[in-house]
Amino acid sequence: MTRLVILISGRGSNMEALFHAVDAGALPVEFAAVISNRTSAAGLATAAARGITTAVFDHTAFPDRAAFDTALMAEIDRYAPDLVVLAGFMRVLTDAFVTHYAGRLINIHPALLPAFPGLHTHERALAAGVKLHGCTVHFVTPEVDVGPIVIQAAVPVLDDDTPETLAARVLAQEHQIYPQAIRWFAEGRLQITPTGGVRLQPNRPSALASCVVPALD
Ligand code: GRF
């Protein structure tokens, strides 16, 4: 079973969407641990209530970014995850961290990348007057919000939208596409191409299943 370590900083609604997908039988993964860089992250209690191991690594207790990332890597690796899931983890990661988890570190960003990388995406989308906005799941590479794109969802921007109403519309889509992307990863179907894209491999029935002899009745 694909083992996930989830990194959060706050509310953790994307993490919860993964829980719901597992409960619905739509996501074949197990949750090894949930780690937050903030003690105040509401998602910690949600994960703990589910019986998942939680940990807090407070970045302010470390002298610099490299020291924090080194300690965080050591903690994550204790759980031997197949995939590290950034779910609202509000930290820029060092190149060393990203390289260590190359191909097994995934993020969700609340915009249609490459449009609006970085923060305050909904405000910036409204200011730019775009008619479509959305969210992106991508593998993480050293440059922030630039890695290979797995899946995106678009939503309309309405004339009377505020950053809050637009964020809510986008978030509903985030909760759809993150479980989908991670399911594809768990099925071994995501292939990062040499040009930095992601190809979705067809979902073939396993060789074992095709060898099953039908029961006689
Ligand atoms: C989401 O909008 C996500 O795209 C962004 O941070 C927010 C986290 O929300 N990276 P939640 O903690 O998952 O509710």
Side-chain angles (χ1 to χ4, degrees), residues 146-166:
V146 165
I149 292 172
V150 177
I151 185 172
Q152 296 182 298
V155 301
V157 179
L158 306 180
D159 288 345
D160 58 355
D161 264 332
T162 64
E164 292 72 29
T165 59
L166 185 53

Side-chain angles (χ1 to χ4, degrees), residues 10-15 87-90 107-110 171 174-175:
R11 139 189 88 174
S13 71
N14 276 289
M15 174 193 73
F89 188 65
M90 302 304 286
N107 183 44
I108 188 154
H109 180 76
L171 191 66
E174 294 184 39
H175 296 166

Side-chain angles (χ1 to χ4, degrees), residues 15-140:
M15 174 193 73
E16 276 189 84
L18 302 181
F19 296 167
H20 294 150
V22 167
D23 292 345
L27 185 58
V29 301
E30 60 182 294
F31 302 104
V34 172
I35 304 172
S36 171
N37 65 315
R38 294 196 184 124
T39 47
S40 59
L44 284 169
T46 314
R50 202 182 161 92
I52 298 170
T53 302
T54 61
V56 176
F57 269 64
D58 179 357
H59 60 276
T60 63
F62 291 83
D64 55 32
R65 200 176 283 282
F68 173 72
D69 278 13
T70 300
L72 184 59
M73 271 190 271
E75 174 70 5
I76 292 170
D77 288 347
R78 287 180 47 213
Y79 303 103
D82 300 297
L83 182 66
V84 178
V85 177
L86 305 181
F89 188 65
M90 302 304 286
R91 294 278 304 166
V92 172
L93 296 160
T94 56
D95 287 7
F97 185 101
V98 172
T99 303
H100 182 67
Y101 297 109
R104 53 194 184 109
L105 179 61
I106 201 165
N107 183 44
I108 188 154
H109 180 76
L112 290 172
L113 292 173
F116 310 120
L119 298 173
H120 309 300
T121 54
H122 310 305
E123 289 86 343
R124 288 159 59 208
L126 289 174
V130 296
K131 301 299 185 193
L132 280 176
H133 186 43
C135 46
T136 303
V137 177
H138 65 97
F139 284 105
V140 178

